[in-house]
Amino acid sequence: MAFRFPAKRLLLYLSGTYTWLGDTVEAYRVQDEALRLYGGAPAVPIDVALIALDRSMCLARDRRATEAAATARDAVADLPETQRTEIILTRATDVASAIPEGNWRGEVALTDYVRAGRERARSLGTTAALGP
């Protein structure tokens, strides 16, 4: 298992790469393919959440602020609380930060949601409590 690297895992990494390069067209294509391979009940739900957060970042860059904030929030909410780790919450915060000024309504709701998630994680003692 240690040396196995399935196509869906490669697509997860490509999603992040294209997203951070700002190539939203290619990122959306790779994300769609990755989600198809992961299927409806993925064995690793955190991977699907990371892909959704990449998509959220693309939506923010494409000035689709409301959709970006909703997609990021859903990505976090769809995970069990124990998997709402600091990397997930940080990526959601990155989406909120990428939403252009003047579209802050969704960003404020997302920021509040992530803040509440961090507070909840602290009370549960999970790894998500590492953030500010």
Side-chain angles (χ1 to χ4, degrees):
M1 258 337 239
F3 298 105
R4 194 165 161 232
F5 197 81
K8 63 186 176 186
R9 180 58 58 116
L10 174 62
L11 293 170
L12 165 70
Y13 290 116
L14 287 174
S15 170
T17 301
Y18 286 123
T19 297
W20 290 104
L21 287 173
D23 186 348
T24 60
V25 172
E26 194 61 21
Y28 290 135
R29 185 191 67 73
V30 167
Q31 291 158 6
D32 288 341
E33 179 66 14
L35 293 173
R36 185 185 68 72
L37 291 176
Y38 275 97
V44 186
I46 202 165
D47 286 0
V48 173
L50 290 168
I51 293 166
L53 290 165
D54 286 343
R55 177 159 300 210
S56 298
M57 184 61 78
C58 290
L59 291 166
R61 287 188 172 146
D62 288 345
R63 300 194 175 277
R64 295 163 60 185
T66 302
E67 195 176 350
T71 302
R73 186 183 187 287
D74 290 347
V76 175
D78 289 346
L79 286 172
E81 277 189 306
T82 57
Q83 291 188 11
R84 295 176 191 172
T85 62
E86 186 57 31
I87 190 166
I88 293 292
L89 297 175
T90 297
R91 298 279 299 277
T93 300
D94 291 345
V95 171
S97 298
I99 294 174
E101 234 178 281
N103 292 305
W104 284 354
R105 191 179 76 184
E107 183 265 357
V108 170
L110 177 58
T111 301
D112 290 344
Y113 182 76
V114 171
R115 185 177 304 115
R118 280 195 171 106
E119 290 170 10
R120 175 79 176 139
R122 285 185 183 106
S123 72
L124 294 173
T126 64
T127 58
L130 298 174

